[in-house]
Amino acid sequence: MAYLVVLDVAQFHEDYSCINEVILNSGNLEAVDWIDMAKVKKGGTFNVHPPYIDAVKQLGIFVMNANDVADLGKEIFISHGWKSSQIYQELQPHKEC
């Protein structure tokens, strides 16, 4: 359901569609999500597999675009990257988080 919010402006490859559920507090622009990374195809040489990072970062985009006052006809929020990021626990494909 969360991916339907941005379907008109973005399509996600299956590897980058790891969010299964979002619980959104629209008034406070806060949310939690349930991520399942098991469906990401294995392979490549990465410190952290890119779909894992994307899954963790996508929640902010959903908070900004799926809240009760968002008018996607006027504006949409996207992530243009970040200068740095820290992940304090290893992201693993066999774990749900």
Side-chain angles (χ1 to χ4, degrees), residues 34-38 52 89-97:
W34 174 50
I35 299 171
D36 181 4
M37 298 182 203
Y52 299 173
Q89 184 177 355
E90 183 179 353
L91 302 176
Q92 300 175 3
H94 63 280
K95 287 188 175 181
E96 296 173 350
C97 49

Side-chain angles (χ1 to χ4, degrees), residues 58-70:
Q58 282 177 358
L59 184 59
I61 295 169
F62 289 132
V63 168
M64 296 306 296
N65 291 306
N67 66 72
D68 291 336
V69 297

Side-chain angles (χ1 to χ4, degrees), residues 12-82:
F12 292 85
H13 184 276
E14 185 177 301
D15 283 355
Y16 290 84
S17 300
C18 299
I19 295 177
N20 285 343
E21 182 178 352
V22 175
I23 300 171
L24 174 65
N25 179 328
S26 187
N28 291 335
L29 297 178
E30 298 175 336
V32 295
D33 63 356
W34 174 50
I35 299 171
D36 181 4
M37 298 182 203
K39 59 180 141 185
V40 175
K41 292 183 181 125
K42 312 305 177 261
T45 304
F46 308 101
N47 186 22
V48 178
H49 203 313
Y52 299 173
I53 296 171
D54 198 62
V56 171
K57 301 293 185 176
Q58 282 177 358
L59 184 59
I61 295 169
F62 289 132
V63 168
M64 296 306 296
N65 291 306
N67 66 72
D68 291 336
V69 297
D71 184 351
L72 301 180
K74 292 183 180 178
E75 64 184 353
I76 187 165
F77 295 91
I78 61 170
S79 174
H80 56 79
W82 54 88

